[in-house]
């Protein structure tokens, strides 16, 4: 196990994210996103699944060529089933990158092996050994994922990990493919692997969590505390079904809770909001308004008591500033729950300082309007000033 506290951010927005409903992206959108993910500071960028289609292959190859072209660029990887043709396609697609990786996987739970792959445990072990070794002939950096690891018999998982490491895997990713795990079980699985698998302490262990029970981020953090040093995640938490662990939530957790999570990473926090917005522009849905970190309401205060507190000292109701994640918009939302203080503050921002009496008149008009209108915009507030002049004249 690495003694370093550096956590590697492996971004799978363009692979696990992109393969989910409503998230397909065209070649140019993928390239634009890949440039932005590099600016965000991700360490490993899973650019796609090269064998999946000609378009996917071209996207991975162009990202490798155009985004992965310097020593400071992210490592570019492509997913590949543990099959010769997949590994060859992945190797060819990532080949132009300065730093590349092949990420190969095979299901190892009895359920998946019987229902999906129709192979025995022995056949799986043989295939893993052969295909990891094949990937290693193309690149030094090979990641292996036993798909459905969290529902794999632990005794068999130990053997799987041993074979993958012996064949040359440098990263071992143990995915919670179906989002079934709870944090203590996920952490225990990694501790068991570190304890029992020869060589596990000398490679990077990785967490890949799905959010079916809303625990993807909690599970990833539990894994880090158990010794994992790579987290796989996606912007806005997109990914299969309920999605992957949200990159921005993991990064914010490491920033805000340094006291309990003393780990470092390369994410440039001020690029978070821009990256989220760019993704929204590329796919067919945005983050829910109440989504942590990047939702429209994540830094918005509508209740009068909260607005008063935040105007006096943002720390009263904010655990991080909106600027720290690159959001420059308003945090005070005016509506029927807003108080006099919030209205006065917004008017001052718009260049109008009112006397006590004037503010009382305008506030009365404001509450009247807010009872009828759900969202109050700056132009509505400015219109209330005309009302003030009429009222005062
Ligand atoms: O969820 C999963 O198991 C995956 C693997 C391919 C890593 O996405
Ligand atoms: Zn996944």
């Amino acid at each position: 196990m690495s003694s370093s506290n550096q956590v590697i951010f492996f971004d799978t927005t363009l692979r696990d994210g992109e393969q989910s409903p409503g998230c397909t992206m065209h070649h140019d959108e993928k390239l634009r996103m890949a440039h932005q993910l590099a600016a965000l500071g991700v360490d490993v960028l899973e650019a796609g699944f090269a064998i999946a289609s000609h378009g996917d292959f071209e996207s991975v190859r162009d990202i490798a060529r155009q985004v992965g072209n310097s020593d400071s660029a992210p490592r570019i990887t492509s997913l590949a089933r543990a099959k010769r043709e997949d590994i060859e396609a992945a190797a060819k697609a990532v080949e132009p990158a300065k730093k590349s990786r092949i990420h190969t996987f095979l299901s190892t739970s009895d359920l998946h092996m019987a229902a999906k792959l129709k192979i025995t445990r022995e056949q799986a072990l043989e295939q893993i050994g052969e295909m990891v070794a094949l990937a290693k002939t193309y690149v030094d950096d090979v990641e292996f994922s036993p798909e459905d690891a969290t529902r794999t018999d632990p005794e068999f998982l130990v053997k799987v990990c041993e074979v993958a490491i012996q064949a040359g895997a440098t990263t071992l990713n143990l995915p919670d493919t179906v989002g079934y795990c709870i944090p203590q079980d996920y952490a225990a699985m990694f501790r068991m692997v570190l304890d029992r698998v020869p060589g596990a302490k000398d490679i990077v262990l990785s967490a890949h969590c799905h959010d079916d029970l809303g625990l993807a981020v909690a599970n990833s953090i539990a894994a880090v505390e158990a010794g994992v040093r790579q987290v796989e995640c996606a912007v806005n938490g997109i990914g299969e079904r309920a999605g992957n662990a949200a990159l921005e939530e993991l990064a914010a957790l490491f920033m805000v809770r340094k006291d309990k999570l003393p780990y470092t990473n390369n994410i440039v926090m001020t690029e978070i909001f821009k990256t989220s917005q760019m993704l929204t522009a590329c796919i067919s849905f945005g983050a829910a308004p109440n989504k942590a970190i990047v939702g429209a309401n994540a830094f918005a205060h509508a209740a009068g008591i909260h607005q008063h507190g935040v105007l006096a000292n943002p720390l009263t109701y904010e655990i991080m500033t909106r600027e720290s994640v690159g959001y420059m918009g308003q945090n005070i939302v005016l509506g029927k729950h807003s108080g006099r203080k919030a209205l006065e503050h917004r008017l001052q921002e718009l260049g109008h300082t009112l006397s006590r009496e004037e503010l009382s008149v305008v506030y009365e008009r404001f509450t009247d309007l807010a009872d009828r209108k759900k969202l109050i915009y700056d132009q509505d507030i400015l219109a209330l000033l005309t009302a003030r002049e009429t009222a005062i004249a």
Side-chain angles (χ1 to χ4, degrees):
M1 185 172 82
S2 160
S3 59
S4 157
N5 273 353
Q6 180 78 6
V7 173
I8 297 164
F9 269 70
F10 175 116
D11 178 86
T12 188
T13 309
L14 300 180
R15 198 280 298 167
D16 207 316
E18 204 262 349
Q19 76 191 40
S20 60
C23 295
T24 40
M25 285 174 245
H26 301 306
H27 175 272
D28 291 357
E29 292 169 329
K30 284 192 192 170
L31 261 175
R32 196 168 354 124
M33 273 307 295
H35 279 292
Q36 180 55 31
L37 290 167
L40 178 65
V42 306
D43 303 287
V44 185
L45 197 167
E46 191 164 52
F49 194 174
I51 192 85
S53 69
H54 179 67
D56 257 39
F57 177 88
E58 288 303 324
S59 297
V60 178
R61 195 161 166 89
D62 284 348
I63 290 169
R65 196 181 283 131
Q66 295 178 36
V67 181
N69 58 0
S70 72
D71 287 332
S72 59
R75 186 174 290 280
I76 308 297
T77 186
S78 167
L79 188 66
R81 286 168 300 182
K83 286 185 168 192
R84 177 172 289 277
E85 59 273 30
D86 282 43
I87 289 169
E88 286 169 355
K92 207 163 161 200
V94 298
E95 189 262 337
K98 277 257 174 185
K99 294 177 286 176
S100 56
R101 169 179 297 182
I102 294 174
H103 175 196
T104 186
F105 72 101
L106 187 78
S107 286
T108 52
S109 65
D110 289 332
L111 175 63
H112 276 221
M113 287 190 297
K116 216 177 78 170
L117 303 175
K118 318 240 182 282
I119 55 171
T120 62
R121 288 185 177 192
E122 290 63 38
Q123 286 169 321
L125 290 177
E126 199 180 321
Q127 195 174 336
I128 292 164
E130 277 177 14
M131 291 302 123
V132 169
L134 174 68
K136 201 71 184 179
T137 64
Y138 293 106
V139 287
D140 289 337
D141 190 316
V142 173
E143 172 169 334
F144 176 70
S145 296
E147 191 186 359
D148 208 17
T150 52
R151 294 191 300 171
T152 295
D153 167 27
E155 292 304 318
F156 183 56
L157 187 63
V158 166
K159 285 198 193 122
V160 164
C161 294
E162 204 173 328
V163 166
I165 292 173
Q166 268 173 14
T170 42
T171 298
L172 201 51
N173 178 49
L174 305 184
D176 185 25
T177 303
V178 290
Y180 174 72
C181 244
I182 56 175
Q184 52 270 49
D185 290 349
Y186 200 47
M189 179 185 67
F190 283 105
R191 287 201 187 96
M192 178 204 65
V193 166
L194 280 166
D195 256 16
R196 295 188 46 194
V197 176
K201 294 188 174 76
D202 306 320
I203 56 146
V204 175
L205 289 183
S206 168
H208 177 113
C209 298
H210 282 271
D211 211 29
D212 301 68
L213 292 173
L215 288 172
V217 169
N219 284 338
S220 305
I221 294 293
V224 169
E225 291 191 291
V228 159
R229 286 296 174 269
Q230 175 176 284
V231 286
E232 302 199 355
C233 47
V235 176
N236 293 356
I238 65 169
E240 286 289 354
R241 303 178 312 281
N244 285 95
L247 181 148
E248 62 279 3
E249 293 177 24
L250 286 168
L253 255 164
F254 288 126
M255 175 181 78
V256 174
R257 295 311 309 267
K258 277 195 214 65
D259 58 328
K260 286 281 161 62
L261 302 169
Y263 306 100
T264 52
N265 63 75
N266 289 325
I267 295 297
V268 180
M269 291 304 293
T270 49
E271 293 292 327
I272 291 272
F273 194 73
K274 181 176 173 189
T275 314
S276 162
Q277 292 286 299
M278 188 182 287
L279 179 66
T280 298
C282 292
I283 63 176
S284 59
F285 58 91
N290 62 337
K291 163 84 182 61
I293 323 297
V294 293
N297 291 353
F299 294 93
H301 306 282
I305 294 168
H306 286 216
Q307 291 180 336
H308 186 184
V310 165
L311 289 170
N313 180 346
L315 289 176
T316 50
Y317 290 103
E318 288 180 359
I319 56 168
M320 68 196 111
T321 65
R322 59 197 196 282
E323 293 85 3
S324 68
V325 295
Y327 178 68
M328 297 303 170
Q330 287 296 320
N331 63 341
I332 299 292
V333 178
L334 292 178
K336 72 172 184 176
H337 301 294
S338 303
R340 216 171 272 260
K341 286 267 176 218
L343 179 65
E344 184 182 23
H345 177 78
R346 189 75 199 116
L347 282 164
Q348 277 167 357
E349 282 182 337
L350 293 169
H352 298 275
T353 303
L354 272 58
S355 69
R356 245 177 113 84
E357 297 74 43
E358 286 172 328
L359 184 63
S360 286
V361 173
V362 175
Y363 184 66
E364 201 176 312
R365 304 261 167 170
F366 167 78
T367 50
D368 194 40
L369 176 68
D371 266 339
R372 288 177 281 120
K373 200 167 183 287
K374 284 194 176 167
L375 289 174
I376 308 249
Y377 298 101
D378 286 350
Q379 57 268 35
D380 298 318
I381 297 168
L382 292 171
L384 294 173
L385 286 182
T386 325
R388 164 192 63 142
E389 277 144 23
T390 317
I392 288 164

